[in-house]
Amino acid sequence: MERRPPRESVTLVPKSLVIVESPAKARTINRYLGRDFSVEASMGHVRDLPKKKLGVDLKNRFQPTYELIPGKEKVIKTLRSAARGVDSIYIATDPDREGEAIGWHLSEALSDNNRKFFRVLFNEITQKAVRQAFDRPGEIDSRLVDAQQARRILDRLVGYKISPLLWQKVRRGTSAGRVQTAALRLVVEREREIEAFESREYWTLTANLSASQPPPFEARLQKFKRKKIEVGNGEQAQEIVQALDGVSFTVETVTTKEKKRNPVPPFITSKLQQEASRKLRFPVKKTMRVAQSLYEGIKLGQEGSIGLITYMRTDSLRVSSDALGEVRTYIAQNYGEQYLPAKARYYRSRKDAQDAHEAIRPTSATRRPGEIRQFLSDDEFKLYKLIWQRFVASQMQAALLDQTVVDIAAGPYLFRASGSVLKFDGFLKVYEEGRDDKTEEEPAASLPPLTRGEVLQLNKLLPEQHFTQPPPRFTEATLVKALEEKGIGRPSTYAAILTTIQDREYTVRKEGRFRPTDLGLVVNDLLVASFADLFDIQYTARMEKELDEIEQGKIPWIQALQDFYGKFATDLDQARSRMKVKEEETGESCDKCGKPLVIRWGRHGRFVACSGFPACKNTRELSAKAEGADRPAESDEETPRESCPTCGKPMALRKGRFGPFLACTGYPQCKTTRKPGTTGSDQAPPAQTLLEEKCPRCDSPLAVRQGRYGEFTACSDYPKCRYVRNKTLEVACPQPDCSGEIVERKSRRGKTFYGCDRYPKCRFVLWNKPIKKACPQCDAGFVLEKATKKQGTLHYCHDESCDFRESAGTVA
């Protein structure tokens, strides 16, 4: 019998590599492509301008220097490994400027003479859309890359050139941003409108009336002798009440008109953010995070992972003909032909819309929210339902209402009542848009049958006092609306803008509305005074249009930067000498030299100082009342006047880098300090407590000791042996080819941070505490823990490209 030669093992190598941004998107797309494709995730951007230097050559036509983003070495290594042996690489990043730029940077990092790069674009992650994109691949659009590159360099120039000025004039950590400062300016100007607003008293007179048939209804005074009347005070209101005593109320006219109410268009990014804020109370950032997961794909049981909505960063109202046909069929079958217009509805986008993508809609109108509820989180279900309802309603018939206006004569006075009755609900059967202005009056639900000449019974005449109100502070929804209307930013940046002005402590949100902090006010005033053009609202909008023109190929990106930098450099030189924080007078005199005390800015905020500085260095903490409600501080009255245990002079409450402390007012001659709530005797360090463990360096016993920044474990033979045991967290160092683990450490100034125990060989560090828990979104080995005032303790992925974020127990 002839023996067959042993069969050789064959390793199948994919012919093509597909690169997307996230693992979730990779899993969804992988289902639609065959064995000839391997799908990998870049985890967002892989290259950027360097963090510690400008990275832009101002003398060489603004040429940028790009570096691999720290922590992305492993990603690039994985992608290069996956690219070995493949003929083609398909870039399938998001269809916008940032996605195009990510694709270009990937092509630069993975370039090979034997490899071809293709660009595939799809507005929705469905099998049909993905297949069509791969059937017609294109190339990376250099105009989109140029537009993104111009925006990035603009932002870098503004941030890196102006921020150091703010560090000198205000405090370290402050920053300027081309778009964020324009948004801050809106908040500041609104606050000053409110402060300058002078309230005016006015009165309304409402008559509660009954006709021959129920129900009773209300009519409001409108005119006196056929002219509009304004009642300015209570005396005038009482005079009218007395004049109407015994006067008959007679129906003068009854006008009924049919009113048509058309549906609103499907969502664009800004409208989705506004409506999710109104109806779901979602912060803008959360809306985009949840929408991203719906777009990238949700696992629907046996169907596998499917993209549920179209791309969520768009300013276009365009909808594909296939989607229109499907939703019209759905409406006819589920609501009836009476709810279906004769023709599909088409909505016109704004003039400055990029129109690169469709409106935000479900990828299939037949996939009803209730049918897939079990596969979605609560937040995903709420947002998907909102998007689905808005899209279906946008293609339904208008609602019809009978609106009735009744004029009622009472002597020389005219009262008016209005009401409406819904005749046909139309699109309101599915969806009704929320409103920002909750004070807007709603017409009465219905009026009784009324005829001209009918005499009505007066039940009660109600005079009511009112005061004119200032413009309301911005909510997230109304601030996004203002940014959109004024052309500041783009759909992809609204969430980042709102996050930045809060993270920088320029604004706070109280009861859901933005208020500028003292820091925000001073930063805004300095920047607007020194860079009037750059931070002008209209100028910011023009810059956005120029970026659009770069994208459209109308102007070269270098020319746009040259036009900008000439004026900017001049303003920058002038600001270096002119920019100065205005000192506020306190009306008090220095208790040491008698000169006026003023309020100044320091690295830890505002404080009271002598105007005679540097001859007199007397300072003190700013009281809570002067500091403002958004930054509380202990007032002098609340602080007990204690004596220094060293020299007997009074102790004063100070604010340092690590919080409040008590210090001797005799500084610098006496440098006694202590923590509030302790006594002088508390400051003596306790004796060290010996442990049974041995020092790994000298074999002496380890001891628990008390240091300047708390308890720690170290060698008992100090100072001969300086071994200190760092607290381990059982988290492996994520750096490639590093076998170390993350430990808790202290900086020279006592601030806790976390770093690799193989330092200085490995210099990986973190400021927030790592938790041994795999990221559920990108499978990273650990997440970080961060304590915030508003949201409590949060967990988020340490990989900057992953947007996973949850509270320490409940998803945020």
Side-chain angles (χ1 to χ4, degrees), residues 21 74 264 378 435 442 444 526 533 540 547 554 612 649 660 678 698 741 747 754:
E21 291 108 312
K74 186 176 179 181
V264 289
D378 288 343
R435 294 178 303 148
E442 287 284 357
L526 285 175
D533 289 342
T540 305
L547 293 175
K554 293 181 180 179
K649 290 186 178 180
T678 63
C698 68
E741 65 174 319
S747 69
Y754 306 90

Side-chain angles (χ1 to χ4, degrees), residues 273 282-296 312-313 379-380 383 495 777 791 802-807 811-812:
Q273 292 170 345
F282 281 9
V284 169
K285 191 173 182 179
K286 179 177 181 178
T287 297
M288 297 311 292
R289 185 175 71 246
V290 176
Q292 183 89 32
S293 68
L294 293 173
Y295 165 70
E296 292 183 342
M312 64 285 163
R313 295 185 181 94
D379 291 339
E380 289 167 344
L383 194 64
Q777 191 160 307
Q791 297 173 291
C802 177
D803 58 6
F804 167 72
R805 189 181 183 92
E806 69 175 15
S807 67
V811 176

Side-chain angles (χ1 to χ4, degrees), residues 593-607:
C593 70
K595 290 186 177 180
L597 291 175
V598 294
I599 298 175
R600 289 180 174 158
W601 277 90
R603 69 168 64 180
H604 306 301
R606 300 200 305 166
F607 65 98

